[in-house]
Amino acid sequence: MRNRIWFEAHLIRVRLFEYRKVNFLKGRQSFSAALPRVSSKFCFSLILFFLPATLGHTTASTVPPPRGYRLRFYHTHTGERLDVIYRRGDEYIPEALDKLDHYLRDHRTGDVRHFDPRLFDLLYDLTASLGDSGGEIDVICGYRTPWSNEFLRTRNPHTGVAQHSLHMQAEAIDIRLRGIPTLELRDAALRLHRGGVGYYHSSDFVHVDVGRVRHW
């Protein structure tokens, strides 16, 4: 009787062991089969996570910085010089425009007026068209108050100062370029077809503005 009980208990342990072994092998096989799928999904998720950052870094490193627009001036009345980048790409730089407004102030009264930035684009393109981009521009006159304009206009009837000059609107400037004849400078300004152009042979300067297209 005792032997029979021992035999049955032993048989139960053997069957239980075989059951656990079978389940373990099935579980291992299931895990092994699922592992490639999990690994591939995990790797794909990692790729999707890091790909935008990688592309963003590559794009940022390959896009060139916006071009800087530089102008250099010498003021013939004040003796001041200014070297300024007033624009980057399509964006004007407010601090640079402030410097230009002050630099081109009415040198008789000290009054400052905000300049139309298209005038600076005109000067940049004008000097570039003559192969003198970045060359120093001699300034004869920038902004004029109505008082200064009237003073110049009535002092001498042959000055050519207009009663409604665009200098009073900070939309005009009188200049010359060193080493470039004023006649050549005038012709280059006329070719741009971007506003008014005046040629003053005896005073050796050229007037340019961003008003309507005309010349004298």
Side-chain angles (χ1 to χ4, degrees), residues 46-151:
L46 284 178
I47 292 173
L48 290 178
F49 179 78
F50 287 109
L51 185 60
T54 304
L55 290 176
H57 175 73
T58 304
T59 303
S61 61
T62 56
V63 173
R67 180 175 63 166
Y69 291 76
R70 179 188 182 193
L71 289 172
R72 297 174 60 236
F73 296 99
Y74 170 74
H75 203 297
T76 59
H77 292 285
T78 65
E80 297 173 337
R81 282 186 161 86
L82 180 65
D83 186 340
V84 62
I85 294 176
Y86 71 95
R87 175 181 154 191
R88 289 193 183 279
D90 295 329
E91 299 292 329
Y92 293 107
I93 303 172
E95 297 81 3
L97 296 182
D98 289 342
K99 289 181 180 180
L100 284 161
D101 291 342
H102 180 264
Y103 181 80
L104 296 172
R105 66 193 181 277
D106 186 326
H107 66 273
R108 294 179 180 85
T109 67
D111 289 274
V112 175
R113 178 156 178 169
H114 180 61
F115 268 79
D116 188 328
R118 293 179 301 160
L119 185 64
F120 305 133
D121 291 334
L122 175 60
L123 292 176
Y124 182 89
D125 292 341
L126 178 58
T127 55
S129 71
L130 291 165
D132 194 34
S133 181
E136 198 167 59
I137 301 170
D138 286 351
V139 177
I140 287 79
C141 184
Y143 170 60
R144 281 202 300 259
T145 61
W147 179 89
S148 287
N149 195 75
E150 189 63 17
F151 170 77

Side-chain angles (χ1 to χ4, degrees), residues 164-177:
H164 304 289
S165 172
L166 288 181
H167 283 278
M168 295 188 294
Q169 306 301 322
E171 295 180 355
I173 190 169
D174 298 335
I175 61 170
R176 67 171 68 100
L177 294 180

